[in-house]
Amino acid sequence: MTTAKIQFGRRSFIKSTVLAGGGLMLGFNLLASCKPGSANELEIPDEWFEINAYLKIGENGVVSIMSKNPEFGQGVMTSMPMVIAEELDVDWKNVMVEQAPFDAARFERQFTGGSQALRSSWQMLRTTGAAARQMLREAAAKAWDVPVAEITTAAGMLQHTGSGKKAGYGEFASAAAQIPVPTEVELKEPKDFTIVGKSKKNVNGKDIVTGKPLFGLDVEKEGMLIATVAIPPAFGMKLKSFDATEAKAMPGIKDIFSFKSYNDDYEQNMFDTNAFTELVAIVGNSTWEVMNAKLMLNVEWEPFSDYQYTAGGFRGSQEVTVPAGLESTADHMVKMKEAAAKPGNIVRKDGNPDEAFKNAAKVIESTYTAPFLGHFMMEPINFYADVTEDMVTVIGPSQAPEFVEGTISARLGIPREKIDVQMTRMGGGFGRRAYNHYATEAAVISQQVKAPVKLVYSREDTTRFGVFRPAYYVTFRAGLDANNNMIAFHVKAGGVPESPLHANRFPAGAVDNYLAEAWTVDSNITIGAFRAPRSNFIGPAEQMFLDEVAEAAGKDPIQFRLDLFKRAQENPVGERNDYNAARYAGVLELVREKSGWGQNDSGRKRGVAAYFCHNSYAAHVVDVVMENGKPRVENVVSAMDCGIVVNPDAAVNMVEGAVVDGIGCAMYGEITFTDGAPDMDNFDSYRMIRYNEAPKKIDVHFVQNEIAPTGLGEPPFPPIFAALGNALYKLTGERYYHQPFNKENS
């Protein structure tokens, strides 16, 4: 067993704050929890005994674990409790869940995103369960007057090896709750795991498929009104005036007024991203009534001038300038081309790239672009708020409840301790629900009308009021010597309004002469986290370019990459390479084996790609065929190295979801703008993947090791774009440089 130091007291466990990929603050919960089936399948005890802030044991041995993190389909409510149950030595069928309330003092960071939940909480989850098990052992040893070393545990039972005495956890839960938390505990070796690594069903699965009220839109409270908002039709515009005479006369309408999301002197936090800070609220009895009344509003909007605001973040406060103008996609492309033609900000330089390119026998150069993308969650934006003189209660789907509390406190002038934030399951997040302006809007509206309110956006406003994935542009150059070895590599990447560059990722460290440059184009279009931020573009572009370089070198694309990884392992260039070359090579070797790469293609064309992000490694092989004159994805073989796989079923589901999502985004995903207005605002105009376009088969494999778990929700996403693009090249003979691919070469 491994010895672990305990760093928590009776009422609080380990706390951590992590900065994860994409610039998201990820202070992950000590655990999210589980419930096998519905609660009535377990005999709920008459009395609970709290072992610590996260764990209660009933007098009948049922274990309840607090779920601290928000859940939006990533499966943490199953996988994280499995880790605690493993070390607690409890029978999985006797574990149930309670959703923890938001409580910054008790739970600290309650944030979901960035593929960091298990990685950042693995040790804490294990010590949580192990500490409780040790306290139960000590309670039994004291009662039986025997050495604690002679007490063993299994499946929620305590046993004395000498006398054979046995007792369930419930019999000693009360006594265990009085025992001081141990300073260190013994953790299991992975080879001894009986729960971790074994598939468990989604603990909320039954409630989801039977339509139980789990989501923000399901919230119903007595006396609740419905609200919606009118927003500017385009980025770069603001409210000038409005006439609500006709709208107020509509049936069921209670009030219509304008309001500001933030106070004028407010310092916005990193998740207060909000393009439109002055809105018009329409409040009434039902969604139908407020949506119809909104159509009758007479609103005048006007362009705004450049303005500044103060934003807080990891690096302290800074002044942010928002440029004026009604931006269009055509203008974005012109500006990106202009910026790319100028010298960029040099982020990394190894060797002498200029000299190496001059001496190269071959130089390959290609440029890749991608448009803005919208999140398009199934559940539209919504939040419930009830603001009274004594208390503020807000309920809804949020990835960042701590930031909800802070912003509402500042906007309403109400102390944090009087604000109760309750979390619902999210009907999709992907980063969008970290930006919780809509929770503040609901609270402001409730305060104004002096009644509980559920704010509901239309699908169109959910899109138009977006926090988008930026538009990107990158140019790669590679130099080959006379023996077709890559001797130079240059990446110059930018976008509107951020650069996607990760300067210290592969092939940095694998080539002697390397140059990375970044640039940006200012914009007033709001951007934010989108599944695998920045990696979702730079990864695919890099991997498609490396296929092009491999072809120019006359080498198999997998072997070409493996040769570079061998160099990075044996004689790496630089000391800032943020990947493990052996693990990177490992997923390529696994996907080569499992896909039968290089064997009989049987009419199919195949593409491969691999990428590292969010601390994990992913590789895919995509098979495409031509069907009725159009490319079709037949099969995908995926290989992942994410350390120990806690819940194999859920892990496979995560990879499958990333594959389907990535194919859809690569083929069809696109948000364009005309004079500041998004051209796509609903599913009729924003093309998403359809059922008959998903792969017929997705075969997922995991590298088996005993490394602590790393990210899984985002790492499989970037390389599927590239594997698809490389397969399409084999099928059509044309390179795919611009997303979405369905518009390329058409």
Side-chain angles (χ1 to χ4, degrees):
M1 288 190 173
T2 301
T3 300
K5 295 289 186 182
I6 299 294
Q7 302 177 32
F8 50 78
R10 179 168 305 282
R11 300 300 177 188
S12 63
F13 271 18
I14 302 169
K15 301 172 181 177
S16 70
T17 300
V18 184
L19 176 61
L24 293 180
M25 166 79 82
L26 303 177
F28 283 92
N29 67 316
L30 186 49
L31 66 115
S33 58
C34 75
K35 178 176 62 175
S38 59
N40 60 17
E41 294 177 6
L42 291 173
E43 184 180 343
I44 307 303
D46 294 326
E47 189 171 5
W48 290 102
F49 302 99
E50 186 172 318
I51 308 300
N52 53 62
Y54 306 90
L55 186 62
K56 296 186 296 183
I57 298 177
E59 38 81 26
N60 63 347
V62 171
V63 177
S64 176
I65 303 174
M66 297 300 290
S67 175
K68 174 183 159 186
N69 273 26
E71 168 74 61
F72 59 78
Q74 72 277 41
V76 293
M77 291 188 72
T78 305
S79 58
M80 297 181 79
M82 288 173 64
V83 180
I84 288 184
E86 179 69 70
E87 294 290 351
L88 180 60
D89 253 355
V90 68
D91 194 325
W92 178 251
K93 72 179 183 346
N94 288 330
V95 177
M96 61 177 293
V97 64
E98 293 180 62
Q99 173 63 58
F102 172 74
D103 189 331
R106 197 175 189 194
F107 299 109
E108 202 174 284
R109 298 292 180 195
Q110 292 178 267
F111 188 104
T112 292
S115 299
Q116 298 296 301
L118 277 169
R119 176 177 181 263
S120 62
S121 300
W122 173 249
Q123 191 75 358
M124 294 183 287
L125 293 166
R126 298 184 70 189
T127 54
T128 298
R133 178 169 57 87
Q134 177 65 14
M135 293 159 70
L136 288 161
R137 291 175 65 219
E138 290 182 16
K142 184 177 180 180
W144 293 337
D145 194 23
V146 297
V148 70
E150 295 179 3
I151 304 295
T152 62
T153 60
M157 296 293 294
L158 296 147
Q159 181 172 350
H160 178 232
T161 55
S163 65
K165 289 182 179 179
K166 291 183 179 181
Y169 282 179
E171 295 181 48
F172 288 105
S174 176
Q178 308 305 315
I179 291 175
V181 176
T183 57
E184 65 179 35
V185 292
E186 295 291 327
L187 302 179
K188 291 183 179 181
E189 295 298 331
K191 65 181 178 60
D192 297 322
F193 288 163
T194 60
I195 295 176
V196 168
K198 308 297 188 295
S199 290
K200 304 297 180 185
K201 296 300 182 183
N202 185 324
V203 296
N204 283 140
K206 183 178 179 180
D207 290 343
I208 293 169
V209 300
T210 56
K212 295 293 176 62
L214 299 171
F215 303 93
L217 281 176
D218 295 326
V219 173
E220 296 289 340
K221 300 290 183 180
E222 185 177 352
M224 181 183 79
L225 299 175
I226 299 295
T228 194
V229 290
I231 65 170
F235 290 91
M237 302 195 78
K238 66 178 182 178
L239 178 66
K240 182 178 181 180
S241 64
F242 71 96
D243 181 352
T245 304
E246 289 185 70
K248 281 186 175 180
M250 296 285 285
I253 300 305
K254 300 295 185 181
D255 202 357
I256 298 176
F257 54 91
S258 64
F259 68 96
K260 290 185 176 182
S261 301
Y262 308 130
N263 297 324
D264 292 338
D265 59 349
Y266 173 63
E267 180 177 305
Q268 296 183 25
N269 69 56
M270 61 183 296
F271 291 123
D272 281 331
T273 299
N274 190 345
F276 309 121
T277 57
E278 187 171 11
L279 312 172
V280 179
I282 305 98
V283 186
N285 291 324
S286 70
T287 305
W288 176 254
E289 289 169 332
V290 299
M291 294 293 181
N292 278 323
K294 179 182 170 183
L295 297 175
M296 302 304 295
L297 271 178
N298 183 7
V299 189
E300 189 174 358
W301 312 96
E302 63 181 350
F304 61 63
S305 302
D306 293 359
Y307 69 90
Q308 293 77 37
Y309 67 91
T310 303
F314 297 122
R315 299 175 183 175
S317 301
Q318 58 180 334
E319 290 297 314
V320 177
T321 298
V322 179
L326 303 179
E327 303 175 18
S328 296
T329 295
D331 298 329
H332 289 159
M333 185 57 65
V334 170
K335 290 180 178 180
M336 287 196 293
K337 287 181 178 179
E338 291 174 347
K342 300 174 183 177
N345 175 36
I346 295 177
V347 183
R348 174 168 172 163
K349 184 176 182 180
D350 298 328
N352 190 336
D354 288 342
E355 190 66 22
F357 276 111
K358 288 179 183 178
N359 295 330
K362 296 178 186 176
V363 174
I364 303 93
E365 180 174 332
S366 293
T367 295
Y368 299 81
T369 69
F372 284 88
L373 290 180
H375 290 83
F376 278 89
M377 309 157 293
M378 289 295 100
E379 181 189 20
I381 292 297
N382 68 90
F383 228 83
Y384 168 88
D386 184 9
V387 179
T388 68
E389 292 183 1
D390 300 323
M391 192 72 188
V392 176
T393 301
V394 290
I395 308 171
S398 169
Q399 293 178 233
E402 179 176 350
F403 293 95
V404 169
E405 183 185 76
T407 303
I408 290 176
S409 174
R411 175 60 179 84
L412 302 185
I414 295 174
R416 281 178 177 257
E417 57 268 23
K418 290 189 175 183
I419 300 174
D420 177 21
V421 181
Q422 300 177 26
M423 296 171 279
T424 65
R425 187 181 178 94
M426 290 171 272
F430 312 105
R432 175 61 179 96
R433 295 196 199 273
Y435 306 93
N436 299 140
H437 55 85
Y438 49 92
T440 305
E441 293 160 17
V444 173
I445 295 169
S446 174
Q447 185 183 55
Q448 174 78 14
V449 299
K450 296 181 173 57
V453 166
K454 181 165 69 176
L455 172 66
V456 180
Y457 278 28
S458 67
R459 170 64 61 188
E460 290 79 7
D461 286 346
T462 294
T463 305
R464 287 193 292 256
F465 206 156
V467 177
F468 299 101
R469 197 286 302 268
Y472 291 127
Y473 186 111
V474 62
T475 298
F476 292 103
R477 284 194 301 152
L480 302 178
D481 65 14
N483 295 318
N484 287 317
N485 297 309
M486 192 165 73
I487 58 172
F489 194 89
H490 179 200
V491 52
K492 190 175 185 181
V496 181
E498 71 168 13
S499 172
L501 182 67
H502 289 283
N504 299 321
R505 290 188 184 169
F506 181 76
V511 59
D512 290 323
N513 304 287
Y514 174 86
L515 179 63
E517 297 180 81
W519 51 267
T520 60
V521 172
D522 289 340
S523 174
N524 57 41
I525 296 172
T526 52
I527 65 161
F530 186 101
R531 191 173 197 169
R534 298 189 298 278
S535 298
N536 58 44
F537 169 73
I538 199 70
E542 166 212 291
Q543 287 291 303
M544 287 191 286
F545 180 67
L546 287 177
D547 251 41
E548 194 168 352
V549 178
E551 183 180 57
K555 298 180 180 180
D556 172 81
I558 291 183
Q559 192 58 51
F560 176 72
R561 290 168 171 83
L562 289 175
D563 291 343
L564 290 171
F565 288 131
K566 183 178 180 181
R567 166 65 196 280
Q569 285 179 257
E570 296 177 352
N571 187 23
V573 179
E575 298 178 353
R576 293 176 293 152
N577 308 317
D578 63 2
Y579 61 93
N580 181 303
R583 293 181 70 187
Y584 217 146
V587 291
L588 269 172
E589 290 166 345
L590 182 59
V591 84
R592 178 170 63 178
E593 172 197 343
K594 297 299 183 181
S595 68
W597 180 265
Q599 299 174 14
N600 182 15
D601 287 345
S602 301
R604 65 192 175 185
K605 298 299 180 181
R606 320 192 82 183
V608 66
Y611 197 64
F612 162 79
C613 71
H614 296 82
N615 305 286
S616 289
Y617 303 81
H620 304 290
V621 168
V622 171
D623 296 345
V624 295
V625 296
M626 193 65 75
E627 189 175 276
N628 299 322
K630 294 183 179 180
R632 172 179 169 76
V633 178
E634 280 282 291
N635 302 309
V636 176
V637 179
S638 303
M640 290 293 307
D641 183 348
C642 57
I644 293 171
V645 178
V646 174
N647 187 358
D649 266 7
V652 168
N653 290 341
M654 293 274 274
V655 178
E656 290 172 337
V659 166
V660 175
D661 191 15
I663 291 171
C665 288
M667 288 297 296
Y668 312 113
E670 179 181 37
I671 290 279
T672 60
F673 295 86
T674 301
D675 294 331
D679 297 317
M680 299 83 175
D681 62 9
N682 208 325
F683 293 113
D684 62 332
S685 54
Y686 188 86
R687 178 74 157 84
M688 299 188 76
I689 192 169
R690 297 166 183 166
Y691 287 115
N692 65 344
E693 294 163 340
K696 292 182 178 179
K697 182 180 180 182
I698 303 173
D699 189 17
V700 182
H701 302 272
F702 295 92
V703 174
Q704 300 300 311
N705 57 42
E706 295 186 357
I707 298 170
T710 50
L712 187 55
E714 286 155 296
F717 187 64
I720 194 65
F721 288 68
L724 174 60
N726 292 333
L728 290 173
Y729 166 67
K730 299 287 183 62
L731 185 70
T732 66
E734 299 287 340
R735 293 282 177 189
Y736 286 69
Y737 295 111
H738 310 291
Q739 296 174 29
F741 293 160
N742 74 314
K743 295 177 68 174
E744 181 80 0
N745 305 317
S746 60

